[in-house]
Amino acid sequence: GQQLNQSPQSMFIQEGEDVSMNCTSSSIFNTWLWYKQDPGEGPVLLIALYKAGELTSNGRLTAQFGTTRKDSFLNISASIPSDVGIYFCAGQATSGTYKYIFGTGTRLKVLA
Amino acid sequence: EPEVTQTPSHQVTQMGQEVILRCVPISNHLYFYWYRQILGQKVEFLVSFYNNEISEKSEIFDDQFSVERPDGSNFTLKIRSTKLEDSAMYFCASLRQGLATEAFFGQGTRLTVV
């Protein structure tokens, strides 16, 4: 089946540092999304990407959709303590149900 | 801002009991989903629902699971006879239209089977 692998699995960083995380897929997706999940909460959409090569920003967040449509990265600049959480990438199925396939997640911990 | 709401936020049930998890999707959305997240793991697709019928289900969604949209507003997930391994967060999501639109997720229901 389709799988999305994220790296790193977890990371500790100092407040103010920049963060970069990746997501790779065994399949092509036409829509790629990045979500953040706080403990005990549902995933919250950060950035959606629709075109191969697309680079999109949302405040301190920047994400790019790989040209092959099988990978993406998410960067967070000048991290702050509230950036703590789990970041999931997700690819949207291109036909039928438009379901999301979620990645394995990157757990981010920010040290003040 | 419209949101997906789920009730209850936490449900504790005894093994073998039936549970119904409830969701109110965003009103003009057309596609509805249930996802599951076992503690510490990734979010997994369970089932999708469109045009008043199941459009796809995963291998997790066996005969013990069912979904309904009884009144055009609520969207429910029923587990007939719960097992310990059904303990997880269950998320409802809705999508306004098909490709290239974003799904909105509810806050989740934490199901604990004891």
Side-chain angles (χ1 to χ4, degrees), chain A residues 28-61:
Chain A
I28 289 174
F29 289 101
N30 286 329
T31 300
W32 204 295
L33 309 101
W34 284 94
Y35 283 85
K36 183 188 178 211
Q37 185 179 31
D38 292 328
E41 304 286 329
V44 174
L45 181 66
L46 298 175
I47 290 180
L49 301 162
Y50 302 111
K51 296 180 183 177
E54 179 181 357
L55 182 71
T56 297
S57 294
N58 178 8
R60 293 180 297 106
L61 307 178

Side-chain angles (χ1 to χ4, degrees), chain B residues 60-89:
Chain B
I60 303 169
F61 194 90
D62 62 21
D63 291 345
Q64 294 301 312
F65 291 87
S66 62
V67 290
E68 275 192 333
R69 188 160 159 80
D71 55 10
S73 174
N74 294 285
F75 180 49
T76 61
L77 174 69
K78 181 192 291 187
I79 309 175
R80 286 188 187 80
S81 178
T82 50
K83 303 186 286 287
L84 294 176
E85 54 264 38
D86 293 328
S87 296
M89 283 287 284

Side-chain angles (χ1 to χ4, degrees), chain A residues 3-4 30-31 33 35 37 40-43 45 48 50 88 92-94 96-100 102-105 107, chain B residues 31 33 35 37 40-43 45 48 55-56 89 91 95 97-108 110:
Chain A
Q3 293 187 26
L4 276 71
N30 286 329
T31 300
L33 309 101
Y35 283 85
Q37 185 179 31
E41 304 286 329
L45 181 66
Y50 302 111
F88 288 102
Q92 185 181 35
T94 56
T97 66
Y98 308 110
K99 68 182 182 188
Y100 286 3
F102 280 84
T104 48
R107 184 181 298 273
Chain B
Y31 297 82
Y33 307 86
Y35 292 82
Q37 185 180 34
Q41 299 186 20
K42 68 178 181 180
V43 179
F45 167 76
S48 60
S55 47
E56 184 178 351
M89 283 287 284
F91 294 106
L95 191 70
Q97 57 187 54
L99 198 59
T101 56
E102 300 111 25
F104 291 85
F105 286 79
Q107 295 286 76
R110 179 172 298 283

